[in-house]
Amino acid sequence: MIDELELAFDERAEKGRHRRGAQRKRNGKKKRSGRGRTVAALLMTFVLLGVLGGVGWYGFDRVQGYFVTPDYDGSGTGEVQVQVEEGQSIAEIASTLVEAGVVKSTKAFIEAAQENSRSQNIQPGVYKVRKEMSAESALGLLLDLKNKLVKGFLVREGATAKQIFKALAEETGLPVKDFETAAKDLEGLGIADFWFKRDDGQAARKSIEGFIFPDTYELPPNASAEQILKLMVQRFMSVAEEIDFVDRVQKEREISPYEALIVASLAQAEAGNADDLGKVARVAYNRIYSGDHYCKNGNGLTGCLEFDVGVNYYWELTGKKTKRSGDMTDAELFDRKNPYRMHGKAGLPPGPINNPGQKALEGAMDPPKGTWLFFVAVDKEGHSEFATTNEEHERNIQKARENGVL
């Protein structure tokens, strides 16, 4: 009985196989078994995981940069010097640090600065920092003045470019010729041609004179002559912008900024005291523009400044020994070969005769009101008395004599 049942089952199974085979032929393709599909899926999963795993390990650092700010850990190693220049933004300082290998990314330093309200107090100068330090640690070093290298070089008010070049050569060991050569590239130093425009019809002598701002500078280690002069010119431009020198001179004085810069240099040379800078500038403007001051030996010519300082400046430029005003002869004061003479010649000299400080610039930009045409130092502290008429001026001269000044 069992054998019969098995035989009947085998016959039905065989018929079923024939029916399924016929069905596959009608459909034109072979149906894959469930076990085959499972094996193929597993193989594809393993391959995909392998590819993704390889890419993930290879590009993990790069991918995570989109989500995490790249930054070093800790306080770094070794020592490196970086320079923060006048007027640099936080982003520019960050770029300097990245280039020097101090911080890992500009973004890290910018974020650290945004979280620290003192970050705006970073001062220009050269700092000792370390390589591969966290942005927060780097910011801390820049805010700590103990890490700032101080090598002060003083440019005094009223110093000429020639005097400054000589002092810089002694300070840095660079030849004077290097500074003289660097000073010729005015545009490269940041002095736009606009600065040499004159509205008085006279030609301008294009020179760095007047643009080397008097201040104490921290000279960068191993800096070139060009870098040093550029630092000083940038300081001039910053101060001029702070006091709105250009716009105010053009609107209120109705002269070009270069003419006002020349007047500032004259006031710096003539005033014996900072309190008198603005008044001396006013005398210069009154003599040139009021039409009330006639030149000595000028055949009725008006607008002569008659300042002696132009003589000494020209002598310094040409390598001659300078003199006290009282020792100068008329021939020297009226020397037609001297382009900086202010006797027997109307108007301003061709350019500044020194490098004026901020108070002199402000005095030329906004001088006090007055009709003065004369001044003379009346005490040993350099204070001057100012006068409108010759009679007043003679009385002031007598006062100076009595005080032992003249």
Side-chain angles (χ1 to χ4, degrees):
M1 183 68 178
I2 293 173
D3 291 340
E4 290 176 357
L5 289 172
E6 288 178 346
L7 179 60
F9 178 80
D10 289 342
E11 287 176 352
R12 286 195 298 272
E14 184 66 24
K15 289 178 181 180
R17 283 195 294 273
H18 284 302
R19 285 196 296 271
R20 289 194 294 273
Q23 182 68 32
R24 284 195 296 270
K25 287 179 181 179
R26 286 195 298 270
N27 293 340
K29 57 184 177 181
K30 186 176 182 179
K31 190 172 182 180
R32 184 177 297 173
S33 68
R35 179 176 294 181
R37 289 196 300 272
T38 300
V39 172
L42 286 172
L43 287 174
M44 287 298 294
T45 300
F46 286 134
V47 170
L48 182 59
L49 287 174
V51 171
L52 290 176
V55 171
W57 282 110
Y58 175 77
F60 176 74
D61 284 341
R62 186 172 299 179
V63 172
Q64 75 166 346
Y66 289 103
F67 306 99
V68 180
T69 301
D71 196 3
Y72 293 121
D73 292 324
S75 57
T77 59
E79 183 180 303
V80 63
Q81 295 179 4
V82 294
Q83 181 180 357
V84 176
E85 297 183 358
E86 180 78 29
Q88 273 193 319
S89 65
I90 291 296
E92 289 170 331
I93 295 173
S95 296
T96 298
L97 294 172
V98 170
E99 290 173 6
V102 177
V103 299
K104 195 168 188 178
S105 68
T106 57
K107 185 179 179 183
F109 186 79
I110 291 171
E111 289 180 353
Q114 289 173 339
E115 294 173 2
N116 191 326
S117 60
R118 295 177 55 237
S119 62
Q120 297 300 320
N121 297 332
I122 298 176
Q123 297 182 9
V126 178
Y127 291 82
K128 291 186 297 183
V129 291
R130 291 184 284 275
K131 291 259 187 185
E132 297 186 0
M133 61 191 311
S134 71
E136 184 179 1
S137 298
L139 178 62
L141 291 187
L142 295 184
L143 289 171
D144 188 347
L145 294 181
K146 290 186 296 185
N147 301 301
K148 190 177 179 184
L149 300 177
V150 179
K151 189 179 181 182
F153 177 81
L154 175 65
V155 176
R156 62 177 178 82
E157 295 172 341
T160 64
K162 193 165 185 174
Q163 293 166 352
I164 295 168
F165 295 164
K166 182 180 179 182
L168 280 170
E170 294 172 355
E171 178 75 15
T172 64
L174 295 171
V176 170
K177 190 67 176 176
D178 284 8
F179 293 98
E180 292 173 342
T181 301
K184 294 177 182 178
D185 184 11
L186 299 172
E187 186 175 354
L189 293 176
I191 308 173
D193 199 56
F194 151 80
W195 276 100
F196 301 104
K197 177 180 176 292
R198 292 184 66 154
D199 296 332
D200 59 359
Q202 298 193 42
R205 178 180 180 267
K206 295 183 178 182
S207 163
I208 195 175
E209 198 78 81
F211 297 97
I212 306 176
F213 191 75
D215 203 346
T216 299
Y217 293 90
E218 294 170 20
L219 303 182
N222 303 315
S224 66
E226 181 182 3
Q227 289 171 322
I228 292 171
L229 293 183
K230 191 171 184 179
L231 181 69
M232 296 173 177
V233 170
Q234 286 177 340
R235 179 68 179 132
F236 170 88
M237 296 300 170
S238 296
V239 171
E241 184 176 358
E242 288 171 12
I243 65 176
D244 201 17
F245 185 77
V246 171
D247 287 342
R248 290 193 61 185
V249 163
Q250 292 179 139
K251 292 177 182 178
E252 298 173 23
R253 301 273 68 78
E254 296 183 347
I255 59 175
S256 74
Y258 195 56
E259 292 167 66
L261 179 58
I262 295 172
V263 171
S265 75
L266 297 176
Q268 190 75 74
E270 288 282 359
N273 190 284
D275 296 338
D276 295 332
L277 287 165
K279 287 186 175 182
V280 174
R282 172 56 71 189
V283 169
Y285 289 135
N286 288 345
R287 288 190 175 188
I288 295 172
Y289 302 117
S290 71
D292 294 330
H293 185 67
Y294 290 85
C295 303
K296 294 177 182 178
N297 302 328
N299 296 322
L301 187 66
T302 61
C304 293
L305 283 168
E306 296 187 316
F307 290 174
D308 301 341
V309 288
V311 176
N312 271 334
Y313 180 69
Y314 180 65
W315 284 348
E316 184 182 328
L317 284 183
T318 54
K320 295 180 181 179
K321 189 176 180 179
T322 59
K323 291 183 180 181
R324 289 177 61 254
S325 294
D327 296 332
M328 294 178 183
T329 66
D330 281 352
E332 292 167 337
L333 292 172
F334 289 87
D335 181 8
R336 291 182 176 274
K337 295 179 181 179
N338 179 359
Y340 287 88
R341 68 184 173 92
M342 288 173 259
H343 289 263
K345 176 186 175 184
L348 293 167
I353 64 168
N354 59 43
N355 294 276
Q358 182 169 341
K359 287 186 177 180
L361 292 173
E362 291 172 340
M365 176 182 71
D366 186 25
K369 293 181 179 179
T371 58
W372 312 296
L373 293 171
F374 309 95
F375 63 92
V376 62
V378 295
D379 61 34
K380 294 184 179 179
E381 285 72 41
H383 294 95
S384 294
E385 291 286 354
F386 293 79
T388 300
T389 66
N390 275 307
E391 291 76 12
E392 293 171 341
H393 185 48
E394 287 299 328
R395 288 196 295 269
N396 292 334
I397 290 175
Q398 182 58 34
K399 183 178 179 179
R401 291 190 179 121
E402 290 172 358
N403 291 337
V405 177
L406 292 179

